[in-house]
Amino acid sequence: GIQVEQSPPDLILQEGANSTLRCNFSDSVNNLQWFHQNPWGQLINLFYIPSGTKQNGRLSATTVATERYSLLYISSSQTTDSGVYFCAVGSPETSGSRLTFGEGTQLTVNP
Amino acid sequence: DAGITQSPRYKITETGRQVTLMCHQTWSHSYMFWYRQDLGHGLRLIYYSAAADITDKGEVPDGYVVSRSKTENFPLTLESATRSQTSVYFCASSETSGISGANVLTFGAGSRLTVL
């Protein structure tokens, strides 16, 4: 099956700093989503982005499907951005409905 | 309440017991999923369902049984619980397949299961 690799595994920032999280995948995808898991365990969808670029406030994401990677940018980080960020992908072979998750990036934002 | 709800939120059971985790969604989403989350493994798909009475195995289905007699419910049963099934279980739903439209996954709050 498709492999998903996220980097870095851990990231510690000071409040106000910017960061870039990366997601590499091993095969063609027709579905790619980014999620944030807060310290209480809740999983929130951030972006549906199988290709192109999207922005939502301080967060933006870019997926270059032909080169098999996606980037999540966090600008002016806040302590509430702490948590685990997951990338998940779906491939055409499974109609894109079955998402395979990476192991996540643990982000800690210190005040 | 609108959304996707899981019950129970916390469960402690013993090896060999049968356990059922419930998942209910109010959006009439076609797709529903069960994932388990363990340290070092991220989220792994157990089973999913494309519609009522249609289910299929995911990455780690052994030891689990699912059913979907109604669109809104997707229970997960551990027929004989083992310690290796201690985990946090997440139910999720989405509206469409990934072929067209936005297959945005929405998660429940999770069910933490401990098998002693």
Side-chain angles (χ1 to χ4, degrees):
Chain A
I2 196 165
Q3 305 298 312
V4 183
E5 189 174 303
Q6 292 186 241
S7 60
D10 297 280
L11 185 59
I12 300 175
L13 301 174
Q14 286 299 121
E15 204 167 22
N18 302 327
S19 61
T20 301
L21 282 58
R22 188 177 180 100
C23 172
N24 292 334
F25 41 92
S26 62
D27 209 340
S28 300
V29 300
N30 62 352
N31 189 348
L32 189 146
Q33 299 182 35
W34 283 95
F35 295 87
H36 175 224
Q37 186 172 37
N38 65 25
W40 296 271
Q42 187 178 13
L43 283 154
I44 302 296
N45 187 286
L46 298 175
F47 292 104
Y48 169 81
I49 187 165
S51 64
T53 298
K54 289 186 178 180
Q55 181 159 4
N56 184 2
R58 297 180 296 104
L59 273 60
S60 63
T62 295
T63 297
V64 184
T66 53
E67 296 187 21
R68 299 183 182 171
Y69 73 89
S70 182
L71 301 174
L72 178 69
Y73 305 95
I74 304 174
S75 64
S76 304
S77 59
Q78 301 175 358
T79 55
T80 52
D81 294 331
S82 295
V84 183
Y85 289 81
F86 289 104
C87 168
V89 303
S91 67
E93 285 71 29
T94 57
S95 75
S97 58
R98 291 179 48 169
L99 294 187
T100 298
F101 281 73
E103 292 192 11
T105 293
Q106 173 79 56
L107 175 66
T108 302
V109 181
N110 292 321
Chain B
D1 290 337
I4 182 166
T5 55
Q6 294 184 230
S7 61
R9 292 291 314 282
Y10 303 92
K11 176 74 175 179
I12 299 174
T13 191
E14 294 177 336
T15 302
R17 295 278 183 106
Q18 183 178 82
V19 176
T20 297
L21 305 180
M22 304 300 294
C23 180
H24 174 78
Q25 52 106 354
T26 60
W27 296 301
S28 299
H29 283 173
S30 298
Y31 281 81
M32 295 188 75
F33 308 84
W34 276 105
Y35 285 88
R36 61 178 288 175
Q37 184 175 27
D38 307 288
L39 280 174
H41 289 283
L43 283 92
R44 293 180 291 175
L45 182 64
I46 305 170
Y47 269 96
Y48 70 106
S49 168
D53 297 322
I54 301 175
T55 62
D56 207 349
K57 295 179 180 179
E59 183 184 351
V60 288
D62 293 344
Y64 303 95
V65 174
V66 294
S67 62
R68 196 167 176 206
S69 58
K70 294 184 177 181
T71 300
E72 61 267 30
N73 296 324
F74 191 39
L76 176 74
T77 298
L78 290 66
E79 293 191 308
S80 179
T82 65
R83 289 194 181 90
S84 64
Q85 292 178 309
T86 292
S87 186
V88 180
Y89 292 84
F90 286 96
C91 179
S93 69
S94 66
E95 185 172 343
T96 65
S97 74
I99 295 175
S100 63
N103 185 19
V104 175
L105 208 59
T106 303
F107 281 92
S111 294
R112 183 176 294 275
L113 176 68
T114 301
V115 183
L116 302 176

